[in-house]
Structures are given as C-alpha cells and as structure tokens.
Amino acid sequence: MKKAIKLFTFFLAFILIFTNFVYAKLSSNTHFEVVDKSVCEMEFGENGKFTKQIISYDENSVTLQLDVKNTAEQKIEKTTSEIFLVIDNSLSLRDKVSDTETRKDLIYNSAKQLATKLNASDPEFEIGVICFSSNSDVKKEGTIEDATLMQTLTTDNSKVLKAVEDINNTEFGSRTNIEAGLELANRNFSGTADKEYIILISDGVPNDDIHGNTLQYSETVLGNTKNKLIELNAKGIKLISVLAGVSNVVEDTVGKTYVELAEEVFGTEVKPTAGKYYFISDSNIKNIVENNVFNDVEVSGSTKLTNITIKDYFPKKIIDNFDFSYVASPNLGNVTTEIDKTTNCITWTIPSLDAGESASLQYKLTLKDNFSKDILNQILPTNEKVNITDDQGDNVTSTVSPKVRVIQDAPVTVLPQTGTSDILFIGIAALSILIVFGIYKYIRYKNI
C-alpha cells in the first residue's frame, strides 16, 4: 500500500512539473521595439524639405511616413525672359572626342538637356534656336546669312529639342561666323521681355564676320566679333559664352595660337569681354552647359519644384525578415508597387510641387512569422539611405534612419487565460487529471 501511494505521489508531481514546463514554453514569444526614433530630414534647393519618421508601432510592426514640402510661402513677382541658344555647326564639330562621341554630340545633347531644365524651372521661358558657320553660297558668306534661325521663340520644349536635333541636317560650313549668330539672335528678340539672354556655344575662333570679311583670322574679323559682344551687352542682353575644345596650336597666317586668338575676342574667364565666359575642354561640356550655364540664368519667375524623385533604400535584413506594405497611396505622384529587389528601394516620383504644397506617403514594416533568429536582439536600421533629385539640379542623400529591434522574451509560467497555448495547456492538464484519477482508482481497487 505504501509503495503504491509513493508511486502515485511521484507520478502526480511529474505531471504537474511537465504541464508547467509545456505551458512555459508555449507562453514564450518575441516582441518588437523601437530603439531609435531619429528623424531623417533633408533640404534641397531653396524651398524643398523632406522628412521621414516613425509615426506608430506595435509588437509586430512599425509605420513610417515620408513627407515632401515646398516651403515657399508665395510666388515671386513674375518676370518674362527670352533665351536664344546660338550653336555652332561648323565642320570641326564633327571631330571625335572619344571612341563613341563627336564634339557635336556632346554640345547638341547638352544644349537639349539645358533647354529641358530651363523649361522645367519656368515653363513660360521663351527659347529660340540659331545655328551658325559659313554659307555654302560664296555670295552670301560673310553676311548674316551665315546663321540660320532654326526655331523662333517658343515655350514649347518639344519644338526647341527638335530644332537642336535638326541642326544635324543642316549644311556644316567650313568656317565660323560667330557675329552672324549673335546678330541674328539680336534681331529676333521681341523687345517686350524683361530679360533677354544669348547662350553662345562654339568650338572655334571666328574667321568670318557679317561685313564681307571671310576666311581670315584677322584683327578686323576678331575685332568685329568682339565689338558685337560689347554692343549686345550694352543693350542689356545677358551673354553667356561657352568655347570648347579650342586647340593651342599656332594658326599659320597670323602666327598666334587659337587660344590667344580666342582671348582677343572673348577675354578670359576672370576678365571676360562681356557677360559670362567659359573656356573649357571637351570633357567639361556636359557639366558646364547643363549645370553652370543653367545656374547663370535667373529663374525668378517660379518657386515650383518639378520632377522630384525620392529613392528609399532598405537593408537586406529588413527585406528578408519584414513584410512591406503601403498604408495608403501617396496624395501626390506615383510610387513603385513594391520594393525593387535589384536595387532594394522604392521610388516615389512627384511631377510638381507648388509653393506651400505638401506630399505624403506611409508604409508599414511587419515582422514575418518565419523571420530569421539571427536578427534577434540586433539593432536594425529601417532604411539604408534616402536620395532625392529634381529638375532644379538638386541631388541630396541622407543615411539617418529610425532603428528597431526584435527581442526574444524569456519563458514564463502563468495562469492560463485564453488562446491557442492556453487551450493546449488546459487539454494537457485535464488529461493528466484523468490519468491520475484512473491510477488512484486502480490502487484503491487492488487494496480493497
């Protein structure tokens, strides 16, 4: 009898310990916590402001919000501007500057990019296109007919781009009449604009003028071209001259280098004859024309931000262990439907943002059920970096990121409440009681 009672007591204790152990294992879980609420903030241009921050979180997920705002309070008083792109089309532009490009390719492509950026910065800019070299008709060479009006002033950027492209279909002259291009632009301004610009792009020193002088690098031709620059500057026309790829070899007829001849016309970058002057190598054409020249044009008529592109990059551990979902579509612009697995980023594009206007986007990161245990207790940045570009030439990046951590809770023994783990515990406990009760009845029966 005593032996049976001891066996019964041991078995009962074992069952109780076992059920407590099982429930303790079932009640252990993970939870999610934010360890760094750093706000990613960036300013771009004069009026652009970007913010990314955590707005809410729970034990399994975190929600982040991206905001972009044009902080300008009001539009600046409107001014009208007219711009002529005066572009060389002499034979020397066909010289190769690399295995795949000619100087013409660099200059014409950069001119098109410049026109596009100007149009985006102020769609009301009126832009015209003129090309110049020398006329194939010897009776017309040495006159203003060495230049061709490819496009009158227009706000239609597609027409401007086509006009620049169409220069490729014109006859490329053997000589260079810069004065003809300048004067043709002068004659085609409306006379009503607040500001007038001539953006001159050439690769040569003038050897023709509009006074009948041709095929000579004489003081007369150089002097007439220089005087035209001074004359236009005195009229209030804003001149921006770009001379690219000029050789430093000697021109035999005058015994001076082409660099020295260019200086007689345009002066130097430090002390130009008129307006702004860039004397550059072929490798600098793209940067100078698309950026420096663009910045030289006063864009005071608009505070609008255009073609804003925001790229939000995610660390691989976030992509592998968290489900990504949008809380709501952005109120402005379009965003990629999911994270691009080749770049690990989402891309949000906003066509335009007026003064005082804001755009917002929210997304959620939710811990996957089958996440890797390798991330437990690690501090995880929610993003790797954010990059912003726009048509105004801005390009900014920040690596500031809110951070989270997944924590494994220690096993605990608690009284059952509700839920799957509790039901399982109750079932095990009930089964244990029935077994113990059966053993007890059996012992009683044997000892009757």
Side-chain angles (χ1 to χ4, degrees):
M1 178 67 178
K2 289 182 178 180
K3 184 177 179 181
I5 292 173
K6 286 181 179 181
L7 180 63
F8 169 74
T9 304
F10 171 78
F11 188 74
L12 177 61
F14 173 79
I15 291 297
L16 292 174
I17 291 171
F18 175 76
T19 53
N20 280 334
F21 171 76
V22 170
Y23 186 67
K25 294 296 287 183
L26 290 171
S27 65
S28 65
N29 59 5
T30 58
H31 76 272
F32 189 75
E33 68 175 12
V34 174
V35 296
D36 184 349
K37 292 185 179 181
S38 295
V39 177
C40 174
E41 292 182 302
M42 285 186 282
E43 294 183 354
F44 54 101
E46 294 184 2
N47 305 312
K49 184 175 182 180
F50 171 84
T51 304
K52 175 182 175 179
Q53 59 188 322
I54 290 176
I55 58 169
S56 66
Y57 62 95
D58 55 33
E59 290 188 350
N60 295 305
S61 66
V62 60
T63 301
L64 297 103
Q65 179 165 310
L66 284 61
D67 294 290
V68 188
K69 184 174 183 179
N70 185 337
T71 59
E73 294 183 1
Q74 59 184 4
K75 292 185 178 181
I76 301 171
E77 183 179 349
K78 188 67 180 174
T79 59
T80 58
S81 297
E82 295 176 351
I83 302 170
F84 267 107
L85 301 177
V86 180
I87 304 172
D88 199 333
N89 71 322
S90 59
L91 283 174
S92 57
L93 263 77
R94 292 180 173 177
D95 292 346
K96 280 205 164 189
V97 295
S98 71
D99 292 338
T100 58
E101 288 182 307
T102 63
R103 188 174 299 117
K104 172 177 67 70
D105 296 331
L106 288 176
I107 288 178
Y108 293 1
N109 289 336
S110 294
K112 288 190 287 186
Q113 288 299 316
L114 172 62
T116 298
K117 288 179 68 173
L118 288 169
N119 178 263
S121 66
D122 185 352
E124 294 184 35
F125 268 150
E126 293 200 68
I127 303 176
V129 180
I130 288 170
C131 65
F132 64 90
S133 57
S134 58
N135 201 298
S136 58
D137 186 342
V138 294
K139 294 179 181 180
K140 295 179 179 179
E141 185 177 0
T143 71
I144 197 170
E145 293 195 61
D146 284 336
T148 303
L149 180 63
M150 301 296 295
Q151 175 60 55
T152 57
L153 292 164
T154 179
T155 58
D156 188 338
N157 189 53
S158 63
K159 290 182 179 180
V160 175
L161 299 185
K162 184 177 186 302
V164 175
E165 186 63 33
D166 284 347
I167 297 176
N168 287 296
N169 301 322
T170 63
E171 185 170 353
F172 281 62
S174 302
R175 289 165 286 283
T176 304
N177 192 340
I178 292 176
E179 187 183 11
L182 294 172
E183 178 56 24
L184 189 59
N186 178 46
R187 295 183 185 184
N188 280 277
F189 283 116
S190 70
T192 61
D194 298 311
K195 296 175 183 177
E196 297 173 338
Y197 291 88
I198 291 178
I199 298 173
L200 171 70
I201 309 175
S202 178
D203 76 333
V205 178
N207 51 7
D208 281 2
D209 62 20
I210 62 174
H211 308 283
N213 303 299
T214 62
L215 195 54
Q216 54 182 289
Y217 293 97
S218 64
E219 290 186 3
T220 301
V221 170
L222 299 178
N224 285 337
T225 307
K226 178 178 180 178
N227 289 337
K228 181 58 66 174
L229 290 169
I230 295 171
E231 174 194 329
L232 298 177
N233 186 65
K235 285 184 64 175
I237 295 173
K238 299 179 184 297
L239 293 159
I240 304 171
S241 304
V242 179
L243 206 59
V246 175
S247 169
N248 200 30
V249 301
V250 173
E251 202 290 312
D252 293 334
T253 61
V254 293
K256 296 179 181 179
T257 66
Y258 289 103
V259 173
E260 290 173 327
L261 295 173
E263 192 169 313
E264 288 187 25
V265 178
F266 294 98
T268 65
E269 289 186 311
V270 176
K271 192 176 180 180
T273 296
K276 188 81 174 181
Y277 174 51
Y278 295 98
F279 186 82
I280 61 174
S281 63
D282 292 320
S283 61
N284 286 330
I285 290 173
K286 177 178 174 63
N287 180 53
I288 295 298
V289 174
E290 295 180 26
N291 297 316
N292 293 55
V293 172
F294 172 78
N295 291 329
D296 290 332
V297 178
E298 298 175 24
V299 184
S300 60
S302 174
T303 55
K304 179 180 290 189
L305 299 171
T306 55
N307 286 332
I308 305 164
T309 300
I310 301 159
K311 290 184 176 291
D312 193 358
Y313 294 83
F314 297 87
K316 193 170 187 306
K317 287 184 178 179
I318 291 292
I319 295 174
D320 291 344
N321 296 285
F322 290 79
D323 289 320
F324 173 90
S325 62
Y326 292 106
V327 176
S329 300
N331 65 317
L332 289 175
N334 297 295
V335 66
T336 48
T337 56
E338 58 186 16
I339 298 175
D340 185 334
K341 295 305 189 297
T342 59
T343 59
N344 291 347
C345 81
I346 58 170
T347 302
W348 181 18
T349 55
I350 304 171
S352 66
L353 208 58
D354 289 325
E357 194 171 21
S358 297
S360 294
L361 169 67
Q362 291 182 8
Y363 61 75
K364 179 182 287 190
L365 300 173
T366 304
L367 188 63
K368 293 180 178 179
D369 292 334
N370 58 339
F371 70 90
S372 170
K373 299 302 185 288
D374 292 340
I375 68 169
L376 287 173
N377 299 316
Q378 286 190 23
I379 294 177
L380 306 172
T382 55
N383 71 309
E384 190 173 273
K385 64 179 179 180
V386 179
N387 174 256
I388 302 174
T389 58
D390 60 22
D391 272 348
Q392 286 63 54
D394 300 305
N395 189 334
V396 295
T397 300
S398 175
T399 57
V400 174
S401 171
K403 298 176 179 65
V404 298
R405 178 166 54 192
V406 181
I407 295 190
Q408 177 79 56
D409 295 332
V412 292
T413 302
V414 294
L415 291 175
Q417 302 294 322
T418 58
T420 302
S421 296
D422 302 322
I423 292 170
L424 183 58
F425 170 78
I426 293 168
I428 293 171
L431 180 60
S432 300
I433 291 169
L434 287 173
I435 292 171
V436 172
F437 181 73
I439 293 171
Y440 173 75
K441 293 292 288 181
Y442 178 76
I443 293 171
R444 288 285 305 272
Y445 171 77
K446 286 293 184 179
N447 286 277
I448 292 174

